Amino acid sequence: IDMLDAAGQRHDYVYWKANTGGIKGALCNKTVWPADIDLAHNAEWLILYNLMGLDDVITGQPISSAEYHWAIAITIAFTDLGTLKSF
């Protein structure tokens, strides 16, 4: 488990507690938008850690290229998703 995995688990836990499942729940349940924004912010932190040359705080290892690129995609997708659901 790395920083991004842990953020994803926290996000999924909120969805589970809100009984949000499937694509319809992810796109339409407006009560979980804070979890989407939180996931995006955690992914942003990972990007910043990588740019500053810092290690993943969970693994203690350098942030992998795959983890970094997933963080970029998650930041974009979940910022947009959370923002759209917040209105």
Side-chain angles (χ1 to χ4, degrees), residues 10-51:
R10 289 188 300 272
H11 172 268
D12 291 351
Y13 178 75
V14 173
Y15 268 52
W16 176 74
K17 291 294 283 184
N19 199 26
T20 300
I23 191 73
K24 183 178 179 183
L27 296 175
C28 299
N29 186 340
K30 292 188 172 202
T31 66
V32 295
W33 70 265
D36 298 329
I37 298 298
D38 188 54
L39 177 57
H41 286 167
N42 280 284
E44 287 175 327
W45 275 108
L46 189 138
I47 293 166
L48 290 173
Y49 271 53
N50 185 66
L51 294 174

Side-chain angles (χ1 to χ4, degrees), residues 66-84:
E67 187 180 6
Y68 174 74
H69 287 96
W70 272 111
I72 292 169
I74 288 168
T75 298
I76 294 166
F78 284 88
T79 297
D80 289 349
L81 180 61
T83 301
L84 287 172

Side-chain angles (χ1 to χ4, degrees), residues 2-4 43-71:
D2 56 33
M3 289 170 61
L4 200 55
E44 287 175 327
W45 275 108
L46 189 138
I47 293 166
L48 290 173
Y49 271 53
N50 185 66
L51 294 174
M52 293 187 294
L54 300 173
D55 291 339
D56 183 301
V57 297
I58 293 177
T59 66
Q61 300 295 315
I63 294 166
S64 70
S65 175
E67 187 180 6
Y68 174 74
H69 287 96
W70 272 111

